[in-house]
Amino acid sequence: MENTRPRRVHLMDELRGVLILGVVLYHLLYDLAVLFPVGIPWMFSPWMDQARNVCTGSLIVISGISCHYARSNLRRGLRTFGWGMLLTVVTGLVIPSQFILFGILHFFGAMMMLYGLLQPLLDRIPTLPGLAGSVALFLLTWPVYSGFVRVFGRVFYLPAFLYDQPLLYPLGFACQGLSSADYYPLMPWGFLFLAGGFFGRYVRDGKLPAFCYRSRLPWLAWLGTRTMAIYLIHQPVIYGILSLIFH
């Protein structure tokens, strides 16, 4: 029987390894700047915000691509969303000032489940229009958090009542009175995830350059295939070590 399993994209694993190391470094600096008495004035500068967005956006695209390699996106999403809810409970009980209401794990879990449910419909959309449309919607909805969208340079303000509904908070309508130390709503980030899903068709079909499918740094790829475990344990480890140092 012919093997139809997609080829492993080792470059993607290695890139994911680099990105998870960046996440660990960012959270180390964040803890030093916010939770412990170390001044890092550039931690919340505009260029640092952009670096964080690029890093997280890359992980989101890769997660969308990975939907083509998962046996069940619905099951994968349920598991990831469950880990996100655990973080919500833990931060609410242990560090209320860093409460996570709809963070990156909630986002990943929700999008994986949506992708699994909508895959029959998504498969009917041609790759290039789907990819271009997803990128366009990502750019269009980028300022939703601030209360407007921008179309060809023109600003259109969204109805105020959308931002008074707590149930719409996961969509990107920042409701007054709700806050999250880690907030990645479905708009705009969900469209970036879908862009990764459409681009993943090229990846799955082996249409990337040959070097993308070759292994060069196995240790880095090893880290990249364990991003969930690293994400879950790195903050408690960092917080514990810093607590011993400073207290």
Side-chain angles (χ1 to χ4, degrees):
M1 181 180 295
E2 184 180 358
N3 183 14
T4 58
R5 186 176 180 179
R7 295 170 60 190
R8 188 88 193 175
V9 189
H10 294 285
L11 179 63
M12 191 167 70
D13 291 333
E14 293 163 356
L15 176 58
R16 193 158 40 193
V18 172
L19 293 172
I20 195 61
L21 290 176
V23 169
V24 173
L25 176 60
Y26 176 84
H27 284 153
L28 170 62
L29 296 174
Y30 180 91
D31 287 354
L32 286 171
V34 176
L35 302 179
F36 296 91
V38 177
I40 307 179
W42 45 265
M43 183 59 196
F44 302 103
S45 61
W47 70 267
M48 192 65 174
D49 289 340
Q50 293 302 318
R52 183 193 65 229
N53 288 336
V54 169
C55 180
T56 307
S58 299
L59 283 171
I60 288 172
V61 170
I62 290 175
S63 185
I65 294 172
S66 299
C67 286
H68 294 281
Y69 292 81
R71 293 180 179 178
S72 172
N73 285 300
L74 185 58
R75 186 165 57 246
R76 185 170 68 119
L78 283 169
R79 183 170 59 247
T80 304
F81 194 85
W83 285 118
M85 291 306 299
L86 178 63
L87 285 183
T88 296
V89 173
V90 171
T91 54
L93 294 175
V94 180
I95 317 177
S97 64
Q98 299 300 306
F99 180 63
I100 297 175
L101 182 59
F102 197 85
I104 191 66
L105 291 185
H106 300 85
F107 166 81
F108 277 138
M111 286 306 303
M112 290 170 189
M113 288 187 285
L114 285 173
Y115 194 94
L117 292 172
L118 297 177
Q119 189 163 1
L121 176 62
L122 293 172
D123 287 344
R124 296 184 179 184
I125 301 175
T127 302
L128 192 56
L131 177 58
S134 297
V135 172
L137 287 171
F138 171 72
L139 297 175
L140 173 70
T141 59
W142 176 257
V144 161
Y145 182 86
S146 300
F148 64 92
V149 295
R150 184 179 286 110
V151 182
F152 299 115
R154 297 189 61 185
V155 172
F156 297 89
Y157 288 94
L158 298 172
F161 74 86
L162 293 174
Y163 298 86
D164 294 328
Q165 310 298 323
L167 292 178
L168 298 182
Y169 185 77
L171 295 180
F173 302 109
C175 181
Q176 186 175 3
L178 296 180
S179 63
S180 178
D182 184 37
Y183 182 46
Y184 284 90
L186 300 184
M187 291 190 296
W189 300 104
F191 295 115
L192 196 60
F193 186 99
L194 291 178
F198 284 111
F199 183 73
R201 296 177 184 177
Y202 296 117
V203 179
R204 175 197 61 196
D205 295 340
K207 295 181 179 180
L208 296 184
F211 71 85
C212 297
Y213 300 92
R214 289 197 296 265
S215 176
R216 286 162 297 276
L217 297 171
W219 66 270
L220 195 58
W222 184 86
L223 292 177
T225 58
R226 289 158 178 82
T227 53
M228 177 63 75
I230 295 172
Y231 188 88
L232 289 172
I233 68 172
H234 81 282
Q235 270 288 50
V237 171
I238 290 173
Y239 186 81
I241 293 174
L242 293 180
S243 296
L244 290 174
I245 293 173
F246 288 98
H247 299 312

